Amino acid sequence: MTRAKLDKKPQDVAAMFDGIAENYDLVNDVISLGQDRLWRKAVVHAVDAHSGELVLDLAAGTGTSSESFVRKGARVIACDFSLGMLRTGVERRGGASKGGVSFVAGDALRLPFADRTFEAVTISFGLRNVVDVDLALRELYRVTKPGGRMVICEFSHIPVGFVDKLYGTYLMGALPKIAGAVSGRPESYDYLSESIMAWPEQAELARRLQGAGWERVAWRNLSIGIVALHRGFRAQ
């Protein structure tokens, strides 16, 4: 059993996600108590995709998040470095380019797309898993068209200190057990908990976005800060 660690070696992280691909969406629904659906809706609203636009959904997994952009009339490339996740998504849809979603294997640190390709780029619950966050943010900037926008949805930190500590106790104790019971892979969700605890607070991520070139950076908390939605724009 591959168990990813906080050094985030790409081969270990990819193998871990390969192993949980089949039940990944179900587990997310269970451990978030259905909140993941509300988070996805918030991302769709923030991206604000229009008919005919091309959207990059990075770390798209099985493509569940990508479908919402298609319903807005956008064309979507669902990109992930876990072949197991992509394979599951393709099998569920009956093809690699079905239903308006095109599945593409790719590394967030070396995106397989030309400069200034997308009107919008987004990554949900995936930035935390890359070994070089700043490089990934620069790569997202590179493939975004001038005037385009970026939306990041990621686990974060509750602003009230003692509440955040209580939540951390849940993350390190109960969450891996619950997720392990559903998925049969508790080791993978130990990593999930550890990576959330190690992730920077909202203001620090905003500073890193600005350092990568993004402008008009802002964020808002979802579910009292368990998750945060960051948004930025590439200058015209």
Side-chain angles (χ1 to χ4, degrees):
M1 175 68 64
T2 298
R3 173 19 174 120
K5 299 180 180 178
L6 290 182
D7 58 9
K8 301 176 186 176
K9 292 180 180 178
Q11 64 271 25
D12 291 345
V13 176
M16 181 193 72
F17 280 105
D18 289 347
I20 62 176
E22 189 63 33
N23 293 317
Y24 180 73
D25 296 319
L26 172 62
V27 174
N28 285 346
D29 208 24
V30 170
I31 63 176
S32 72
L33 301 177
Q35 291 291 298
D36 61 316
R37 303 179 192 183
L38 299 178
W39 301 334
R40 284 199 297 271
K41 288 180 180 178
V43 171
V44 171
H45 180 75
V47 170
D48 191 26
H50 300 292
S51 180
E53 288 188 326
L54 184 60
V55 176
L56 171 62
D57 189 8
L58 184 59
T62 62
T64 299
S65 57
S66 307
E67 294 171 346
S68 299
F69 304 118
V70 173
R71 289 194 286 271
K72 293 289 185 178
R75 296 171 294 135
V76 185
I77 293 181
C79 183
D80 204 292
F81 76 158
S82 166
L83 297 181
M85 286 285 190
L86 293 174
R87 189 178 300 112
T88 299
V90 169
E91 289 173 352
R92 288 176 181 174
R93 290 160 184 80
S97 298
K98 294 287 188 179
V101 178
S102 297
F103 289 86
V104 175
D107 186 341
L109 305 184
R110 295 180 298 275
L111 291 173
F113 310 110
D115 295 356
R116 304 182 178 192
T117 297
F118 301 93
E119 279 84 10
V121 296
T122 184
I123 178 170
S124 294
F125 307 109
L127 188 62
R128 193 183 72 258
N129 299 316
V130 302
V131 68
D132 189 334
V133 171
D134 297 313
L135 177 55
L137 294 175
R138 293 195 298 271
E139 273 291 277
L140 285 169
Y141 184 90
R142 178 183 67 80
V143 301
T144 302
K145 291 182 177 180
R149 63 266 186 210
M150 172 274 314
V151 173
I152 296 170
C153 186
E154 187 54 86
F155 288 111
S156 198
H157 295 276
I158 299 171
V160 181
F162 79 92
V163 179
D164 197 44
K165 288 182 179 179
L166 288 174
Y167 177 57
T169 301
Y170 162 75
L171 283 176
M172 299 305 294
L175 186 146
K177 294 178 181 178
I178 295 170
V182 178
S183 68
R185 305 287 182 109
E187 299 88 351
S188 298
Y189 291 92
D190 285 333
Y191 162 79
L192 170 68
S193 300
E194 293 169 3
S195 65
I196 294 172
M197 294 289 289
W199 188 245
E201 294 184 353
Q202 292 87 323
E204 171 61 21
L205 180 56
R207 285 192 290 269
R208 295 173 79 166
L209 288 170
Q210 292 168 334
W214 296 99
E215 299 184 355
R216 295 158 54 195
V217 172
W219 80 85
R220 68 184 180 94
N221 290 329
L222 306 177
S223 303
I224 69 171
I226 290 173
V227 165
L229 203 64
H230 284 72
R231 189 176 186 182
F233 294 84
R234 178 167 177 166
Q236 289 282 0

